[in-house]
Amino acid sequence: MRIYLITGLKRKILKVMRFTLVLTIIAILLVQLVGILKGTGVYNREEIPNGNSMKVVSPVTDACGEDERTHGLENILEHLLKYLQDKK
């Protein structure tokens, strides 16, 4: 009876040790993969801006007026058509 209990306990211990070994190998491979991705630049975490938060949240100034923003593409097309007509 003791031999049966000892062999059963030995098998359970070996099973746990094998499972632990497999988990360790998987963890090492994942760490290696993350290191490779960080090295190649594929894995880029966006940095949270440091410093004065008021500067980060400040509004963006307008570079063009309201009419230029709404009719900008139309003006560009008109200039292009005039240029093409003058070229002929």
Side-chain angles (χ1 to χ4, degrees):
M1 188 71 173
R2 282 186 189 168
I3 295 174
Y4 179 74
L5 291 175
I6 291 174
T7 56
L9 183 64
K10 187 172 113 177
R11 286 182 185 158
K12 287 181 183 180
I13 289 173
L14 286 176
K15 189 182 286 188
V16 168
M17 289 177 71
R18 286 185 197 124
F19 184 71
T20 307
L21 178 67
V22 169
L23 284 179
T24 305
I25 291 172
I26 290 173
I28 290 171
L29 290 175
L30 285 175
V31 168
Q32 293 285 332
L33 181 66
V34 169
I36 290 172
L37 290 177
K38 280 186 179 179
T40 58
V42 174
Y43 174 78
N44 285 333
R45 185 176 60 117
E46 289 191 24
E47 297 292 328
I48 298 173
N50 297 334
N52 189 356
S53 62
M54 294 303 290
K55 289 182 182 176
V56 174
V57 183
S58 65
V60 178
T61 58
D62 289 335
C64 59
E66 185 65 32
D67 59 337
E68 292 175 358
R69 193 176 314 141
T70 57
H71 302 293
L73 185 60
E74 294 172 3
N75 291 338
I76 292 172
L77 290 175
E78 287 177 9
H79 287 297
L80 182 63
L81 287 173
K82 286 180 187 176
Y83 174 74
L84 291 175
Q85 288 174 355
D86 291 340
K87 201 172 187 181
K88 288 182 181 179

